[in-house]
Amino acid sequence: PRFALLSERRWRIRRKKAKDQKSRKSYVRGKVIDGQHELYTLSIAVMLGLRTSIGTINGIINREAGGGNWLDSDDFMAVEKYVFRPKGGPRTPPHQLSHTFKFKDYSPLAFAYLRRMFGVNEYDFLLSVCGEANFIEFISNAKSGQFFFYSSDGKYMIKTMTNAESKFLRRILPHYFRHCAQNPNTLITKFLGMYRVKLYHLRRN
């Protein structure tokens, strides 16, 4: 039957992906951010925020599909704000962290289109970045003093930013977007999103 064939095909695809992920992990070196790591709460907050914000913006894009809408200047300056309470809220799910935290998604529509432009599948992206709830800390001697993380499968890098870096990226984002749209094979660094997490009990941004 068609249903059984489709299920078997999906099972084979998932099995192959799992093998590929295991083989990729062997190339990733660094300290796994687990429950004992000082940055574990921050990493979990990032993952919760990403799942919620990307799910929200994908819902908006799907509803507007076929409308022929393009980005305007307001989309590049837009900021979506979320408050994650342990018991959940109207827009956020409940979570196991013992404290409320805030999450900001900068230019969500622009970055969603950029991910599509770069050929990034949203489901696979979330699976890589949020799938196993473990980032891998990358030890860097960068003068900025910022933290670097890999996703657990090594496909993506997450970097903390200074306030000045954040403002600079937002300022150049319309030009960056235009360059990537006009040069699909560009070798420029691919930015897939920009977010902010505020943990009050740790006084971290």
Side-chain angles (χ1 to χ4, degrees), residues 6-24 123-124 127:
L6 184 61
S7 298
E8 184 180 358
R9 186 180 300 165
R10 285 179 178 171
W11 177 78
R12 286 178 178 175
I13 291 172
R14 288 178 182 175
R15 187 178 177 185
K16 184 177 184 301
K17 283 185 176 180
K19 288 182 178 179
D20 290 344
Q21 286 178 350
K22 285 183 180 179
S23 64
R24 280 199 298 264
Y123 175 78
D124 291 338
L127 193 63

Side-chain angles (χ1 to χ4, degrees), residues 117 175-186:
M117 205 183 296
H175 309 287
Y176 174 83
F177 188 97
R178 187 182 306 112
H179 170 81
C180 293
Q182 295 174 348
N183 302 275
N185 297 318
T186 180

Side-chain angles (χ1 to χ4, degrees), residues 161-204:
M161 304 172 72
T162 64
N163 190 43
E165 288 173 332
S166 173
K167 288 181 177 178
F168 175 74
L169 181 55
R170 295 187 71 196
R171 188 168 69 249
I172 68 168
L173 188 57
H175 309 287
Y176 174 83
F177 188 97
R178 187 182 306 112
H179 170 81
C180 293
Q182 295 174 348
N183 302 275
N185 297 318
T186 180
L187 298 179
I188 197 170
T189 299
K190 294 177 172 63
F191 292 99
L192 304 179
M194 183 167 66
Y195 311 93
R196 180 181 181 184
V197 177
K198 193 163 189 176
L199 303 169
Y200 289 101
H201 67 294
L202 296 180
R203 301 192 179 186
R204 289 182 183 271

Side-chain angles (χ1 to χ4, degrees), residues 145-156:
Q146 299 304 301
F147 295 109
F148 292 80
F149 310 102
Y150 284 120
S151 58
S152 60
D153 59 6
K155 286 183 69 176
Y156 301 101

Side-chain angles (χ1 to χ4, degrees), residues 25-153:
K25 284 180 185 177
S26 63
Y27 295 101
V28 180
R29 295 289 181 266
K31 185 175 182 181
V32 175
I33 299 179
D34 54 20
Q36 307 302 316
H37 198 285
E38 62 173 345
L39 298 175
Y40 180 73
T41 302
L42 174 62
S43 65
I44 293 299
V46 169
M47 293 178 190
L48 286 168
L50 280 172
R51 288 189 191 126
T52 302
S53 62
I54 290 180
T56 299
I57 198 63
N58 282 342
I60 293 173
I61 292 175
N62 291 337
R63 285 196 300 272
E64 296 178 352
N69 295 329
W70 195 239
L71 300 179
D72 57 32
S73 58
D74 291 338
D75 292 318
F76 289 102
M77 297 307 297
V79 182
E80 281 292 324
K81 301 177 182 179
Y82 301 87
V83 179
F84 286 81
R85 296 181 175 86
K87 293 183 178 180
R91 303 175 65 202
T92 58
H95 58 81
Q96 299 299 316
L97 300 179
S98 57
H99 299 275
T100 296
F101 68 91
K102 290 186 175 181
F103 187 89
K104 287 184 180 181
D105 186 353
Y106 292 98
S107 312
L109 197 58
F111 280 113
Y113 279 124
L114 279 169
R115 288 192 294 272
R116 285 159 173 76
M117 205 183 296
F118 296 144
V120 176
N121 179 280
E122 297 285 66
Y123 175 78
D124 291 338
F125 177 66
L126 285 176
L127 193 63
S128 291
V129 178
C130 307
E132 296 190 2
N134 286 121
F135 288 152
I136 298 176
E137 186 178 13
F138 172 67
I139 306 302
S140 169
N141 59 356
K143 294 181 179 179
S144 64
Q146 299 304 301
F147 295 109
F148 292 80
F149 310 102
Y150 284 120
S151 58
S152 60
D153 59 6

